[in-house]
Amino acid sequence: MATRVQLSRAQTEARETYESFARDHIAPFANDWDLKGELPEDFLAAFAGDGHLGAIVPAAYGGRETDPITFGLLNEETGRACSSVRSLVTVHSMVAHAVTRWGNERQRARWLPRLATGGSVGAFALTEPGAGSDVQGLAATARRTDDGFVLNGEKRWITFGRRADVYLLFARLEGRPTAFLVERRNPGLDVRPVEGVLGTRASMLADLSLTDCRVPADAVLGRPGFGLAAVAADALELGRYSVAWGCVGLSQACLDASLDYAEQRQQFGARLRDHQLVQRMLADMATGTSASRLLCQQAGWLRASGDQQGVHATWLAKYFATTTAFRAASDAVQIHGARGCGGEYPVQRYLRDAKVMEIIEGSTELQQTTIAGSAYQNHAASSSFTAPAAMAEAAGQEART
Ligand SMILES: Cc1cc2nc3c(=O)[nH]c(=O)nc-3n(C[C@H](O)[C@H](O)[C@H](O)COP(=O)(O)OP(=O)(O)OC[C@H]3O[C@@H](n4cnc5c(N)ncnc54)[C@H](O)[C@@H]3O)c2cc1C
């Protein structure tokens, strides 16, 4: 039984709905989508039709307005079945979140109802040839014209870029990082599929070229100059949260597959599950999945209560859940032996998908440096209570109240 603490009745029911949708409509087809490198349109219509693309869109604009834990559960159950579908939830929700938070009323009224129904699919376009982990390398430019802006530049690795109708795209306007809503139909935008990606192969990646791409004046989202520090940072924060929960599902899928296989496969006159070294891998998977889930729940509760510590908790959750998922997927392949490397079982897909999770939305190394930096800050803050007394003692002074 998976460890899930303190879910409300509504959250439990939502999780069961997500699980049953994923079990019936995603998991049986995920290997095929992975091989074909795309999600079929009829699936997208069914997924959107059930309201999953509008999960975090405010109800006033036709969305489900789910709380952070419920949104996490959607990502967990979807990610358990297929990381490409979960990637769609991630990037689409990042765009919806940015429009909700930073858009003006006209932009909200225009985009949110379409994003809620999946009438428009959103993608997040930040990465460039020279701007990966270091987003300050952003080189795409925007220039004002009489009736809007002209954009030039290159974007790389854009999840669902092939399918998106609108891109939350970042460029420098007079040198200042600025967020734009670029429509696929805007003249001067060229979309090229990216083939042969290691994992999340059905997430329809594309590279984008902007060549004097013309966008209207109301395409700017938020204030010019706040594109990276506010709009992108905030969207990526949600993206990390979504990926972390997705990796809980991915680890759970590795555990489920490994338990099944270790039960049926016999070697040396015993089931694999009876070999202690296999049990070690199963135990690590079960423990890691539970711990990841708890870290994600912690991040969710903090977000729900508006606590600023939710940001730090999300870093912890993403770091732990993604590294755990990769280890779980590697062990799942190990337990399946040669069959784990073939196409008959999903574990090789899990392994490829899990590696991607350690790179996107802030790589493992960036999380390590961020978390370590934050640990030092906390340490300094807590030390400061004792520092004056310690210093006074060291100086041989009386410092008593
Ligand atoms: C499947 C997939 C989907 C993606 N989807 C999107 C998308 O939808 N939108 C989008 O904008 N981008 C997307 N990306 C791009 C992704 O965000 C970047 O790959 C990521 O930001 C890392 O950038 P990079 O690949 O240029 O690696 P680099 O930044 O060049 O880093 C390479 C390596 O060096 C390490 N490194 C870099 N800096 C440091 C440092 N200071 N300290 C320690 N180590 C460091 C990194 O951790 C990494 O291991 C996607 C990528 C993939 C693979």
Side-chain angles (χ1 to χ4, degrees), residues 282-349:
L282 294 172
D284 284 356
M285 265 185 236
T287 309
T289 306
S290 242
S292 298
R293 187 176 285 116
L294 284 169
L295 280 173
C296 285
Q297 286 189 331
Q298 171 179 265
W301 290 323
L302 289 166
R303 294 171 82 85
S305 63
D307 192 319
Q308 274 307 304
Q309 290 187 75
V311 175
H312 180 67
T314 300
W315 279 99
L316 298 182
K318 202 267 180 181
Y319 172 45
F320 191 84
T322 54
T323 49
T324 295
F326 184 67
R327 203 168 50 245
S330 173
D331 283 349
V333 171
Q334 192 71 19
I335 288 172
H336 283 68
R339 289 176 179 82
C341 304
E344 187 187 351
Y345 291 87
V347 290
Q348 47 90 14
R349 169 166 58 88

Side-chain angles (χ1 to χ4, degrees), residues 94-95 97-99 101-103 124-128 135-138 140 142 155 167-181 219-237:
M94 287 164 77
V95 177
H97 174 71
V99 174
R101 173 125 193 231
W102 305 101
F124 180 82
L126 175 59
T127 303
E128 298 182 358
V135 295
Q136 294 301 333
L138 180 72
K155 295 292 170 184
Y167 303 87
L168 175 58
L169 187 145
F170 300 84
R172 290 189 183 275
L173 176 63
E174 290 143 11
R176 297 180 300 166
T178 303
F180 292 87
L181 289 168
V220 172
L221 190 72
R223 283 166 51 194
F226 287 78
L228 292 181
V231 184
D234 187 41
L236 284 166
E237 220 270 310

Side-chain angles (χ1 to χ4, degrees), residues 124 126-127 132-133 157-159 200 205 356 359-360 363 365-366:
F124 180 82
L126 175 59
T127 303
S133 303
W157 307 102
I158 308 309
T159 297
T200 60
L205 259 71
V356 169
I359 292 170
I360 58 170
S363 67
E365 290 72 27
L366 284 206

Side-chain angles (χ1 to χ4, degrees), residues 14-178:
R15 193 199 68 72
E16 286 165 2
T17 307
Y18 302 147
E19 182 185 27
S20 114
F21 183 92
R23 191 183 52 237
D24 296 341
H25 300 289
I26 303 179
F29 312 103
N31 274 354
D32 191 38
W33 297 341
D34 181 71
L35 281 173
K36 289 191 174 129
E38 62 184 21
L39 298 182
E41 282 299 314
D42 56 349
F43 166 74
L44 287 173
F47 192 65
D50 270 23
H52 299 319
L53 290 183
I56 60 155
V57 175
Y61 297 95
R64 288 280 163 88
E65 198 172 332
T66 55
D67 64 84
I69 295 286
T70 306
F71 179 62
L73 295 168
L74 169 65
N75 284 276
E76 177 183 345
E77 293 305 333
T78 309
R80 186 174 170 187
C82 175
S83 291
S84 291
V85 177
R86 199 271 313 136
S87 295
L88 173 63
V89 175
T90 302
V91 295
H92 184 86
S93 300
M94 287 164 77
V95 177
H97 174 71
V99 174
T100 304
R101 173 125 193 231
W102 305 101
N104 57 36
E105 193 39 50
R106 235 183 103 188
Q107 290 168 322
R108 286 194 201 120
R110 172 153 191 231
W111 287 110
L112 291 179
R114 302 175 194 196
L115 291 168
T117 59
S120 291
V121 169
F124 180 82
L126 175 59
T127 303
E128 298 182 358
S133 303
D134 181 7
V135 295
Q136 294 301 333
L138 180 72
T141 60
R143 181 170 51 80
R144 280 180 210 277
T145 61
D146 290 344
D147 58 351
F149 302 91
V150 168
L151 274 56
N152 281 285
E154 300 289 329
K155 295 292 170 184
R156 292 284 181 271
W157 307 102
I158 308 309
T159 297
F160 284 93
R162 258 166 71 191
R163 176 60 183 76
D165 303 289
V166 58
Y167 303 87
L168 175 58
L169 187 145
F170 300 84
R172 290 189 183 275
L173 176 63
E174 290 143 11
R176 297 180 300 166
T178 303

